[in-house]
Amino acid sequence: VRAGASHTCARLTDGTVRCWGSNSYGQLGDGTTTTTSTPVTVSGITDAVQIAVGGNSACARRMDGRVSCWGQNTSGQLGDGSTTSRGTPLAVPTLTDAADVAIGESHTCVVRTGGQMRCWGRNNHGQLGDGTTAATLWPTADPGLTDAASVSVGTSHTCATLTSGELRCWGYNSYYQLGDWTRTTRLTPTAVIW
C-alpha cells in the first residue's frame, strides 16, 4: 500500500490495484474524477508487481518491466510526452526494463534492470539528476548512475541506493535533505555522508 497527497492505492496479490480518496485528477485510475471512500479498481492493470504513489499521481511497475502511470500530469510526471492528466493508466513509452519506480509530487524516476536510471517531470531544483534544471516530459533525464538498486522520490529531491549499499541524493537541499552536510542544491547525484 502507498499513499499520496490525498489518495491511497494498494496492490493486491492477484496483480490488480485498488485506490481510494481524492480523484480530482483521475488519480484513482478508474476513468472518473469521482472521489470515493471505498477502493475502486484501477482500469487495465492485472499484472502489477509494484506501485508508487505521490502527490496526485500513481504508477504501477508491471510484470514485464513496463511502467504505467495515471493521475495529475501538469509537470509531465506521467512520462507520456504531454502535460495532460490521465484518468486511466498509460504506459510510459520506451520503458521495458524497470526494476523499481518512485513518483513524487511532480517528477518520477525509474531504476532499470541494468542499474541505470531514467527520470522525468519537473526539474526546477535539479531533482532529475542530469546536471540541468530543464524539465522533460519523457524518461530521458539520466543521473549517470550504473549501479542503482532502488530509488525514492521526494517533493523536489531524489535518492538512490546503490548495489554497494551506498546512497546518492540530488535536488533541493535547503533542509539538509541530501545528507551531504550542506544546504547546497545538487544537480547530480551526491554521496550521503555518514
mmCIF file with all atom_site columns, all heavy atoms in Angstrom, residues 164-187:
data_model
loop_
_atom_site.group_PDB
_atom_site.id
_atom_site.type_symbol
_atom_site.label_atom_id
_atom_site.label_alt_id
_atom_site.label_comp_id
_atom_site.label_asym_id
_atom_site.label_entity_id
_atom_site.label_seq_id
_atom_site.pdbx_PDB_ins_code
_atom_site.Cartn_x
_atom_site.Cartn_y
_atom_site.Cartn_z
_atom_site.occupancy
_atom_site.B_iso_or_equiv
_atom_site.pdbx_formal_charge
_atom_site.auth_seq_id
_atom_site.auth_comp_id
_atom_site.auth_asym_id
_atom_site.auth_atom_id
_atom_site.pdbx_PDB_model_num
ATOM 1   N N   . SER A 1 164 ? 26.109 -1.349 -3.861  1.00 0.00 ? 164 SER A N   1
ATOM 2   C CA  . SER A 1 164 ? 27.126 -1.436 -2.814  1.00 0.00 ? 164 SER A CA  1
ATOM 3   C C   . SER A 1 164 ? 26.576 -1.085 -1.433  1.00 0.00 ? 164 SER A C   1
ATOM 4   O O   . SER A 1 164 ? 27.255 -1.261 -0.431  1.00 0.00 ? 164 SER A O   1
ATOM 5   C CB  . SER A 1 164 ? 28.270 -0.477 -3.137  1.00 0.00 ? 164 SER A CB  1
ATOM 6   O OG  . SER A 1 164 ? 27.799 0.861  -3.112  1.00 0.00 ? 164 SER A OG  1
ATOM 7   N N   . GLY A 1 165 ? 25.357 -0.563 -1.385  1.00 0.00 ? 165 GLY A N   1
ATOM 8   C CA  . GLY A 1 165 ? 24.764 -0.108 -0.128  1.00 0.00 ? 165 GLY A CA  1
ATOM 9   C C   . GLY A 1 165 ? 24.944 1.377  0.113   1.00 0.00 ? 165 GLY A C   1
ATOM 10  O O   . GLY A 1 165 ? 24.377 1.932  1.053   1.00 0.00 ? 165 GLY A O   1
ATOM 11  N N   . GLU A 1 166 ? 25.735 2.036  -0.730  1.00 0.00 ? 166 GLU A N   1
ATOM 12  C CA  . GLU A 1 166 ? 25.911 3.477  -0.604  1.00 0.00 ? 166 GLU A CA  1
ATOM 13  C C   . GLU A 1 166 ? 24.651 4.211  -1.064  1.00 0.00 ? 166 GLU A C   1
ATOM 14  O O   . GLU A 1 166 ? 23.827 3.646  -1.801  1.00 0.00 ? 166 GLU A O   1
ATOM 15  C CB  . GLU A 1 166 ? 27.090 3.939  -1.453  1.00 0.00 ? 166 GLU A CB  1
ATOM 16  C CG  . GLU A 1 166 ? 28.433 3.384  -1.024  1.00 0.00 ? 166 GLU A CG  1
ATOM 17  C CD  . GLU A 1 166 ? 29.520 3.781  -1.999  1.00 0.00 ? 166 GLU A CD  1
ATOM 18  O OE1 . GLU A 1 166 ? 30.106 4.857  -1.792  1.00 0.00 ? 166 GLU A OE1 1
ATOM 19  O OE2 . GLU A 1 166 ? 29.748 3.025  -2.956  1.00 0.00 ? 166 GLU A OE2 1
ATOM 20  N N   . LEU A 1 167 ? 24.534 5.473  -0.630  1.00 0.00 ? 167 LEU A N   1
ATOM 21  C CA  . LEU A 1 167 ? 23.398 6.303  -1.021  1.00 0.00 ? 167 LEU A CA  1
ATOM 22  C C   . LEU A 1 167 ? 23.878 7.501  -1.811  1.00 0.00 ? 167 LEU A C   1
ATOM 23  O O   . LEU A 1 167 ? 24.927 8.086  -1.513  1.00 0.00 ? 167 LEU A O   1
ATOM 24  C CB  . LEU A 1 167 ? 22.644 6.794  0.214   1.00 0.00 ? 167 LEU A CB  1
ATOM 25  C CG  . LEU A 1 167 ? 21.982 5.748  1.094   1.00 0.00 ? 167 LEU A CG  1
ATOM 26  C CD1 . LEU A 1 167 ? 21.362 6.408  2.321   1.00 0.00 ? 167 LEU A CD1 1
ATOM 27  C CD2 . LEU A 1 167 ? 20.911 4.996  0.316   1.00 0.00 ? 167 LEU A CD2 1
ATOM 28  N N   . ARG A 1 168 ? 23.090 7.881  -2.821  1.00 0.00 ? 168 ARG A N   1
ATOM 29  C CA  . ARG A 1 168 ? 23.329 9.097  -3.578  1.00 0.00 ? 168 ARG A CA  1
ATOM 30  C C   . ARG A 1 168 ? 22.014 9.883  -3.605  1.00 0.00 ? 168 ARG A C   1
ATOM 31  O O   . ARG A 1 168 ? 20.951 9.304  -3.829  1.00 0.00 ? 168 ARG A O   1
ATOM 32  C CB  . ARG A 1 168 ? 23.761 8.789  -5.011  1.00 0.00 ? 168 ARG A CB  1
ATOM 33  C CG  . ARG A 1 168 ? 25.074 8.042  -5.131  1.00 0.00 ? 168 ARG A CG  1
ATOM 34  C CD  . ARG A 1 168 ? 26.260 8.916  -4.810  1.00 0.00 ? 168 ARG A CD  1
ATOM 35  N NE  . ARG A 1 168 ? 27.528 8.236  -5.034  1.00 0.00 ? 168 ARG A NE  1
ATOM 36  C CZ  . ARG A 1 168 ? 28.139 7.485  -4.154  1.00 0.00 ? 168 ARG A CZ  1
ATOM 37  N NH1 . ARG A 1 168 ? 27.602 7.284  -2.959  1.00 0.00 ? 168 ARG A NH1 1
ATOM 38  N NH2 . ARG A 1 168 ? 29.299 6.906  -4.427  1.00 0.00 ? 168 ARG A NH2 1
ATOM 39  N N   . CYS A 1 169 ? 22.101 11.189 -3.381  1.00 0.00 ? 169 CYS A N   1
ATOM 40  C CA  . CYS A 1 169 ? 20.923 12.047 -3.414  1.00 0.00 ? 169 CYS A CA  1
ATOM 41  C C   . CYS A 1 169 ? 21.204 13.282 -4.258  1.00 0.00 ? 169 CYS A C   1
ATOM 42  O O   . CYS A 1 169 ? 22.361 13.685 -4.416  1.00 0.00 ? 169 CYS A O   1
ATOM 43  C CB  . CYS A 1 169 ? 20.505 12.478 -2.007  1.00 0.00 ? 169 CYS A CB  1
ATOM 44  S SG  . CYS A 1 169 ? 19.965 11.122 -0.937  1.00 0.00 ? 169 CYS A SG  1
ATOM 45  N N   . TRP A 1 170 ? 20.148 13.912 -4.768  1.00 0.00 ? 170 TRP A N   1
ATOM 46  C CA  . TRP A 1 170 ? 20.294 15.110 -5.579  1.00 0.00 ? 170 TRP A CA  1
ATOM 47  C C   . TRP A 1 170 ? 18.981 15.899 -5.566  1.00 0.00 ? 170 TRP A C   1
ATOM 48  O O   . TRP A 1 170 ? 17.937 15.389 -5.230  1.00 0.00 ? 170 TRP A O   1
ATOM 49  C CB  . TRP A 1 170 ? 20.721 14.765 -6.998  1.00 0.00 ? 170 TRP A CB  1
ATOM 50  C CG  . TRP A 1 170 ? 19.811 13.833 -7.740  1.00 0.00 ? 170 TRP A CG  1
ATOM 51  C CD1 . TRP A 1 170 ? 18.793 14.160 -8.593  1.00 0.00 ? 170 TRP A CD1 1
ATOM 52  C CD2 . TRP A 1 170 ? 19.854 12.390 -7.718  1.00 0.00 ? 170 TRP A CD2 1
ATOM 53  N NE1 . TRP A 1 170 ? 18.187 13.037 -9.098  1.00 0.00 ? 170 TRP A NE1 1
ATOM 54  C CE2 . TRP A 1 170 ? 18.821 11.942 -8.581  1.00 0.00 ? 170 TRP A CE2 1
ATOM 55  C CE3 . TRP A 1 170 ? 20.656 11.460 -7.057  1.00 0.00 ? 170 TRP A CE3 1
ATOM 56  C CZ2 . TRP A 1 170 ? 18.582 10.579 -8.791  1.00 0.00 ? 170 TRP A CZ2 1
ATOM 57  C CZ3 . TRP A 1 170 ? 20.394 10.113 -7.266  1.00 0.00 ? 170 TRP A CZ3 1
ATOM 58  C CH2 . TRP A 1 170 ? 19.382 9.686  -8.121  1.00 0.00 ? 170 TRP A CH2 1
ATOM 59  N N   . GLY A 1 171 ? 19.100 17.199 -5.921  1.00 0.00 ? 171 GLY A N   1
ATOM 60  C CA  . GLY A 1 171 ? 17.942 18.082 -5.945  1.00 0.00 ? 171 GLY A CA  1
ATOM 61  C C   . GLY A 1 171 ? 17.996 19.129 -4.846  1.00 0.00 ? 171 GLY A C   1
ATOM 62  O O   . GLY A 1 171 ? 19.079 19.532 -4.395  1.00 0.00 ? 171 GLY A O   1
ATOM 63  N N   . TYR A 1 172 ? 16.831 19.563 -4.413  1.00 0.00 ? 172 TYR A N   1
ATOM 64  C CA  . TYR A 1 172 ? 16.691 20.634 -3.420  1.00 0.00 ? 172 TYR A CA  1
ATOM 65  C C   . TYR A 1 172 ? 17.289 20.214 -2.079  1.00 0.00 ? 172 TYR A C   1
ATOM 66  O O   . TYR A 1 172 ? 17.110 19.083 -1.638  1.00 0.00 ? 172 TYR A O   1
ATOM 67  C CB  . TYR A 1 172 ? 15.208 20.937 -3.255  1.00 0.00 ? 172 TYR A CB  1
ATOM 68  C CG  . TYR A 1 172 ? 14.886 22.196 -2.496  1.00 0.00 ? 172 TYR A CG  1
ATOM 69  C CD1 . TYR A 1 172 ? 15.391 23.424 -2.893  1.00 0.00 ? 172 TYR A CD1 1
ATOM 70  C CD2 . TYR A 1 172 ? 14.027 22.147 -1.398  1.00 0.00 ? 172 TYR A CD2 1
ATOM 71  C CE1 . TYR A 1 172 ? 15.059 24.583 -2.200  1.00 0.00 ? 172 TYR A CE1 1
ATOM 72  C CE2 . TYR A 1 172 ? 13.688 23.301 -0.704  1.00 0.00 ? 172 TYR A CE2 1
ATOM 73  C CZ  . TYR A 1 172 ? 14.207 24.516 -1.109  1.00 0.00 ? 172 TYR A CZ  1
ATOM 74  O OH  . TYR A 1 172 ? 13.873 25.659 -0.429  1.00 0.00 ? 172 TYR A OH  1
ATOM 75  N N   . ASN A 1 173 ? 17.998 21.156 -1.428  1.00 0.00 ? 173 ASN A N   1
ATOM 76  C CA  . ASN A 1 173 ? 18.738 20.762 -0.232  1.00 0.00 ? 173 ASN A CA  1
ATOM 77  C C   . ASN A 1 173 ? 18.715 21.821 0.871   1.00 0.00 ? 173 ASN A C   1
ATOM 78  O O   . ASN A 1 173 ? 19.593 21.851 1.727   1.00 0.00 ? 173 ASN A O   1
ATOM 79  C CB  . ASN A 1 173 ? 20.197 20.444 -0.608  1.00 0.00 ? 173 ASN A CB  1
ATOM 80  C CG  . ASN A 1 173 ? 20.934 19.658 0.456   1.00 0.00 ? 173 ASN A CG  1
ATOM 81  O OD1 . ASN A 1 173 ? 20.337 18.928 1.234   1.00 0.00 ? 173 ASN A OD1 1
ATOM 82  N ND2 . ASN A 1 173 ? 22.247 19.818 0.493   1.00 0.00 ? 173 ASN A ND2 1
ATOM 83  N N   . SER A 1 174 ? 17.717 22.709 0.873   1.00 0.00 ? 174 SER A N   1
ATOM 84  C CA  . SER A 1 174 ? 17.678 23.785 1.869   1.00 0.00 ? 174 SER A CA  1
ATOM 85  C C   . SER A 1 174 ? 17.509 23.279 3.295   1.00 0.00 ? 174 SER A C   1
ATOM 86  O O   . SER A 1 174 ? 17.805 23.989 4.255   1.00 0.00 ? 174 SER A O   1
ATOM 87  C CB  . SER A 1 174 ? 16.554 24.767 1.539   1.00 0.00 ? 174 SER A CB  1
ATOM 88  O OG  . SER A 1 174 ? 16.938 25.580 0.462   1.00 0.00 ? 174 SER A OG  1
ATOM 89  N N   . TYR A 1 175 ? 17.032 22.056 3.462   1.00 0.00 ? 175 TYR A N   1
ATOM 90  C CA  . TYR A 1 175 ? 16.807 21.500 4.794   1.00 0.00 ? 175 TYR A CA  1
ATOM 91  C C   . TYR A 1 175 ? 17.729 20.314 5.071   1.00 0.00 ? 175 TYR A C   1
ATOM 92  O O   . TYR A 1 175 ? 17.417 19.455 5.872   1.00 0.00 ? 175 TYR A O   1
ATOM 93  C CB  . TYR A 1 175 ? 15.338 21.092 4.942   1.00 0.00 ? 175 TYR A CB  1
ATOM 94  C CG  . TYR A 1 175 ? 14.403 22.255 4.728   1.00 0.00 ? 175 TYR A CG  1
ATOM 95  C CD1 . TYR A 1 175 ? 13.736 22.417 3.511   1.00 0.00 ? 175 TYR A CD1 1
ATOM 96  C CD2 . TYR A 1 175 ? 14.199 23.211 5.718   1.00 0.00 ? 175 TYR A CD2 1
ATOM 97  C CE1 . TYR A 1 175 ? 12.890 23.502 3.304   1.00 0.00 ? 175 TYR A CE1 1
ATOM 98  C CE2 . TYR A 1 175 ? 13.351 24.291 5.516   1.00 0.00 ? 175 TYR A CE2 1
ATOM 99  C CZ  . TYR A 1 175 ? 12.720 24.427 4.308   1.00 0.00 ? 175 TYR A CZ  1
ATOM 100 O OH  . TYR A 1 175 ? 11.888 25.513 4.100   1.00 0.00 ? 175 TYR A OH  1
ATOM 101 N N   . TYR A 1 176 ? 18.873 20.255 4.393   1.00 0.00 ? 176 TYR A N   1
ATOM 102 C CA  . TYR A 1 176 ? 19.866 19.182 4.554   1.00 0.00 ? 176 TYR A CA  1
ATOM 103 C C   . TYR A 1 176 ? 19.349 17.814 4.114   1.00 0.00 ? 176 TYR A C   1
ATOM 104 O O   . TYR A 1 176 ? 19.882 16.782 4.516   1.00 0.00 ? 176 TYR A O   1
ATOM 105 C CB  . TYR A 1 176 ? 20.336 19.086 6.009   1.00 0.00 ? 176 TYR A CB  1
ATOM 106 C CG  . TYR A 1 176 ? 20.887 20.356 6.597   1.00 0.00 ? 176 TYR A CG  1
ATOM 107 C CD1 . TYR A 1 176 ? 20.123 21.139 7.463   1.00 0.00 ? 176 TYR A CD1 1
ATOM 108 C CD2 . TYR A 1 176 ? 22.186 20.792 6.311   1.00 0.00 ? 176 TYR A CD2 1
ATOM 109 C CE1 . TYR A 1 176 ? 20.625 22.308 8.018   1.00 0.00 ? 176 TYR A CE1 1
ATOM 110 C CE2 . TYR A 1 176 ? 22.700 21.951 6.860   1.00 0.00 ? 176 TYR A CE2 1
ATOM 111 C CZ  . TYR A 1 176 ? 21.923 22.715 7.714   1.00 0.00 ? 176 TYR A CZ  1
ATOM 112 O OH  . TYR A 1 176 ? 22.423 23.876 8.266   1.00 0.00 ? 176 TYR A OH  1
ATOM 113 N N   . GLN A 1 177 ? 18.310 17.798 3.275   1.00 0.00 ? 177 GLN A N   1
ATOM 114 C CA  . GLN A 1 177 ? 17.688 16.513 2.937   1.00 0.00 ? 177 GLN A CA  1
ATOM 115 C C   . GLN A 1 177 ? 18.557 15.613 2.054   1.00 0.00 ? 177 GLN A C   1
ATOM 116 O O   . GLN A 1 177 ? 18.284 14.421 1.937   1.00 0.00 ? 177 GLN A O   1
ATOM 117 C CB  . GLN A 1 177 ? 16.305 16.707 2.304   1.00 0.00 ? 177 GLN A CB  1
ATOM 118 C CG  . GLN A 1 177 ? 16.259 17.579 1.056   1.00 0.00 ? 177 GLN A CG  1
ATOM 119 C CD  . GLN A 1 177 ? 15.925 19.022 1.358   1.00 0.00 ? 177 GLN A CD  1
ATOM 120 O OE1 . GLN A 1 177 ? 16.564 19.676 2.171   1.00 0.00 ? 177 GLN A OE1 1
ATOM 121 N NE2 . GLN A 1 177 ? 14.900 19.531 0.687   1.00 0.00 ? 177 GLN A NE2 1
ATOM 122 N N   . LEU A 1 178 ? 19.637 16.152 1.494   1.00 0.00 ? 178 LEU A N   1
ATOM 123 C CA  . LEU A 1 178 ? 20.513 15.315 0.674   1.00 0.00 ? 178 LEU A CA  1
ATOM 124 C C   . LEU A 1 178 ? 21.568 14.588 1.497   1.00 0.00 ? 178 LEU A C   1
ATOM 125 O O   . LEU A 1 178 ? 22.256 13.698 0.989   1.00 0.00 ? 178 LEU A O   1
ATOM 126 C CB  . LEU A 1 178 ? 21.196 16.148 -0.415  1.00 0.00 ? 178 LEU A CB  1
ATOM 127 C CG  . LEU A 1 178 ? 20.262 16.880 -1.379  1.00 0.00 ? 178 LEU A CG  1
ATOM 128 C CD1 . LEU A 1 178 ? 21.061 17.502 -2.508  1.00 0.00 ? 178 LEU A CD1 1
ATOM 129 C CD2 . LEU A 1 178 ? 19.158 15.980 -1.907  1.00 0.00 ? 178 LEU A CD2 1
ATOM 130 N N   . GLY A 1 179 ? 21.726 14.961 2.753   1.00 0.00 ? 179 GLY A N   1
ATOM 131 C CA  . GLY A 1 179 ? 22.621 14.226 3.639   1.00 0.00 ? 179 GLY A CA  1
ATOM 132 C C   . GLY A 1 179 ? 24.096 14.432 3.381   1.00 0.00 ? 179 GLY A C   1
ATOM 133 O O   . GLY A 1 179 ? 24.921 13.606 3.789   1.00 0.00 ? 179 GLY A O   1
ATOM 134 N N   . ASP A 1 180 ? 24.461 15.537 2.709   1.00 0.00 ? 180 ASP A N   1
ATOM 135 C CA  . ASP A 1 180 ? 25.878 15.785 2.436   1.00 0.00 ? 180 ASP A CA  1
ATOM 136 C C   . ASP A 1 180 ? 26.462 16.863 3.342   1.00 0.00 ? 180 ASP A C   1
ATOM 137 O O   . ASP A 1 180 ? 27.528 17.398 3.062   1.00 0.00 ? 180 ASP A O   1
ATOM 138 C CB  . ASP A 1 180 ? 26.074 16.161 0.966   1.00 0.00 ? 180 ASP A CB  1
ATOM 139 C CG  . ASP A 1 180 ? 25.416 17.488 0.599   1.00 0.00 ? 180 ASP A CG  1
ATOM 140 O OD1 . ASP A 1 180 ? 24.649 18.033 1.412   1.00 0.00 ? 180 ASP A OD1 1
ATOM 141 O OD2 . ASP A 1 180 ? 25.680 17.979 -0.515  1.00 0.00 ? 180 ASP A OD2 1
ATOM 142 N N   . TRP A 1 181 ? 25.765 17.160 4.421   1.00 0.00 ? 181 TRP A N   1
ATOM 143 C CA  . TRP A 1 181 ? 26.184 18.119 5.443   1.00 0.00 ? 181 TRP A CA  1
ATOM 144 C C   . TRP A 1 181 ? 26.207 19.554 4.931   1.00 0.00 ? 181 TRP A C   1
ATOM 145 O O   . TRP A 1 181 ? 26.865 20.413 5.488   1.00 0.00 ? 181 TRP A O   1
ATOM 146 C CB  . TRP A 1 181 ? 27.544 17.746 6.033   1.00 0.00 ? 181 TRP A CB  1
ATOM 147 C CG  . TRP A 1 181 ? 27.545 16.466 6.793   1.00 0.00 ? 181 TRP A CG  1
ATOM 148 C CD1 . TRP A 1 181 ? 26.569 15.515 6.821   1.00 0.00 ? 181 TRP A CD1 1
ATOM 149 C CD2 . TRP A 1 181 ? 28.582 15.982 7.643   1.00 0.00 ? 181 TRP A CD2 1
ATOM 150 N NE1 . TRP A 1 181 ? 26.926 14.468 7.620   1.00 0.00 ? 181 TRP A NE1 1
ATOM 151 C CE2 . TRP A 1 181 ? 28.180 14.728 8.133   1.00 0.00 ? 181 TRP A CE2 1
ATOM 152 C CE3 . TRP A 1 181 ? 29.820 16.473 8.012   1.00 0.00 ? 181 TRP A CE3 1
ATOM 153 C CZ2 . TRP A 1 181 ? 28.953 13.965 8.992   1.00 0.00 ? 181 TRP A CZ2 1
ATOM 154 C CZ3 . TRP A 1 181 ? 30.602 15.706 8.870   1.00 0.00 ? 181 TRP A CZ3 1
ATOM 155 C CH2 . TRP A 1 181 ? 30.161 14.469 9.351   1.00 0.00 ? 181 TRP A CH2 1
ATOM 156 N N   . THR A 1 182 ? 25.515 19.825 3.832   1.00 0.00 ? 182 THR A N   1
ATOM 157 C CA  . THR A 1 182 ? 25.423 21.190 3.317   1.00 0.00 ? 182 THR A CA  1
ATOM 158 C C   . THR A 1 182 ? 23.957 21.520 3.057   1.00 0.00 ? 182 THR A C   1
ATOM 159 O O   . THR A 1 182 ? 23.085 20.664 3.186   1.00 0.00 ? 182 THR A O   1
ATOM 160 C CB  . THR A 1 182 ? 26.190 21.363 1.985   1.00 0.00 ? 182 THR A CB  1
ATOM 161 O OG1 . THR A 1 182 ? 25.415 20.808 0.909   1.00 0.00 ? 182 THR A OG1 1
ATOM 162 C CG2 . THR A 1 182 ? 27.559 20.722 2.044   1.00 0.00 ? 182 THR A CG2 1
ATOM 163 N N   . ARG A 1 183 ? 23.731 22.761 2.674   1.00 0.00 ? 183 ARG A N   1
ATOM 164 C CA  . ARG A 1 183 ? 22.417 23.175 2.208   1.00 0.00 ? 183 ARG A CA  1
ATOM 165 C C   . ARG A 1 183 ? 22.460 23.537 0.725   1.00 0.00 ? 183 ARG A C   1
ATOM 166 O O   . ARG A 1 183 ? 21.624 24.272 0.225   1.00 0.00 ? 183 ARG A O   1
ATOM 167 C CB  . ARG A 1 183 ? 21.929 24.387 3.013   1.00 0.00 ? 183 ARG A CB  1
ATOM 168 C CG  . ARG A 1 183 ? 21.474 24.050 4.418   1.00 0.00 ? 183 ARG A CG  1
ATOM 169 C CD  . ARG A 1 183 ? 20.989 25.286 5.121   1.00 0.00 ? 183 ARG A CD  1
ATOM 170 N NE  . ARG A 1 183 ? 20.025 24.949 6.146   1.00 0.00 ? 183 ARG A NE  1
ATOM 171 C CZ  . ARG A 1 183 ? 19.394 25.836 6.898   1.00 0.00 ? 183 ARG A CZ  1
ATOM 172 N NH1 . ARG A 1 183 ? 19.619 27.128 6.737   1.00 0.00 ? 183 ARG A NH1 1
ATOM 173 N NH2 . ARG A 1 183 ? 18.534 25.450 7.807   1.00 0.00 ? 183 ARG A NH2 1
ATOM 174 N N   . THR A 1 184 ? 23.434 22.981 0.032   1.00 0.00 ? 184 THR A N   1
ATOM 175 C CA  . THR A 1 184 ? 23.636 23.283 -1.381  1.00 0.00 ? 184 THR A CA  1
ATOM 176 C C   . THR A 1 184 ? 22.795 22.362 -2.247  1.00 0.00 ? 184 THR A C   1
ATOM 177 O O   . THR A 1 184 ? 22.905 21.136 -2.146  1.00 0.00 ? 184 THR A O   1
ATOM 178 C CB  . THR A 1 184 ? 25.126 23.127 -1.763  1.00 0.00 ? 184 THR A CB  1
ATOM 179 O OG1 . THR A 1 184 ? 25.906 23.967 -0.918  1.00 0.00 ? 184 THR A OG1 1
ATOM 180 C CG2 . THR A 1 184 ? 25.353 23.481 -3.215  1.00 0.00 ? 184 THR A CG2 1
ATOM 181 N N   . THR A 1 185 ? 21.949 22.938 -3.081  1.00 0.00 ? 185 THR A N   1
ATOM 182 C CA  . THR A 1 185 ? 21.178 22.160 -4.038  1.00 0.00 ? 185 THR A CA  1
ATOM 183 C C   . THR A 1 185 ? 22.129 21.502 -5.032  1.00 0.00 ? 185 THR A C   1
ATOM 184 O O   . THR A 1 185 ? 23.089 22.121 -5.493  1.00 0.00 ? 185 THR A O   1
ATOM 185 C CB  . THR A 1 185 ? 20.172 23.079 -4.760  1.00 0.00 ? 185 THR A CB  1
ATOM 186 O OG1 . THR A 1 185 ? 19.173 23.478 -3.808  1.00 0.00 ? 185 THR A OG1 1
ATOM 187 C CG2 . THR A 1 185 ? 19.493 22.371 -5.918  1.00 0.00 ? 185 THR A CG2 1
ATOM 188 N N   . ARG A 1 186 ? 21.894 20.230 -5.348  1.00 0.00 ? 186 ARG A N   1
ATOM 189 C CA  . ARG A 1 186 ? 22.778 19.462 -6.222  1.00 0.00 ? 186 ARG A CA  1
ATOM 190 C C   . ARG A 1 186 ? 22.033 19.029 -7.479  1.00 0.00 ? 186 ARG A C   1
ATOM 191 O O   . ARG A 1 186 ? 20.926 18.499 -7.390  1.00 0.00 ? 186 ARG A O   1
ATOM 192 C CB  . ARG A 1 186 ? 23.295 18.214 -5.513  1.00 0.00 ? 186 ARG A CB  1
ATOM 193 C CG  . ARG A 1 186 ? 23.965 18.486 -4.167  1.00 0.00 ? 186 ARG A CG  1
ATOM 194 C CD  . ARG A 1 186 ? 25.281 19.183 -4.304  1.00 0.00 ? 186 ARG A CD  1
ATOM 195 N NE  . ARG A 1 186 ? 25.929 19.340 -2.995  1.00 0.00 ? 186 ARG A NE  1
ATOM 196 C CZ  . ARG A 1 186 ? 27.111 19.894 -2.817  1.00 0.00 ? 186 ARG A CZ  1
ATOM 197 N NH1 . ARG A 1 186 ? 27.799 20.348 -3.846  1.00 0.00 ? 186 ARG A NH1 1
ATOM 198 N NH2 . ARG A 1 186 ? 27.622 20.002 -1.600  1.00 0.00 ? 186 ARG A NH2 1
ATOM 199 N N   . LEU A 1 187 ? 22.660 19.230 -8.634  1.00 0.00 ? 187 LEU A N   1
ATOM 200 C CA  . LEU A 1 187 ? 22.046 18.872 -9.913  1.00 0.00 ? 187 LEU A CA  1
ATOM 201 C C   . LEU A 1 187 ? 22.422 17.473 -10.370 1.00 0.00 ? 187 LEU A C   1
ATOM 202 O O   . LEU A 1 187 ? 21.880 16.981 -11.355 1.00 0.00 ? 187 LEU A O   1
ATOM 203 C CB  . LEU A 1 187 ? 22.437 19.889 -10.989 1.00 0.00 ? 187 LEU A CB  1
ATOM 204 C CG  . LEU A 1 187 ? 22.142 21.363 -10.686 1.00 0.00 ? 187 LEU A CG  1
ATOM 205 C CD1 . LEU A 1 187 ? 22.474 22.219 -11.905 1.00 0.00 ? 187 LEU A CD1 1
ATOM 206 C CD2 . LEU A 1 187 ? 20.693 21.561 -10.263 1.00 0.00 ? 187 LEU A CD2 1
#
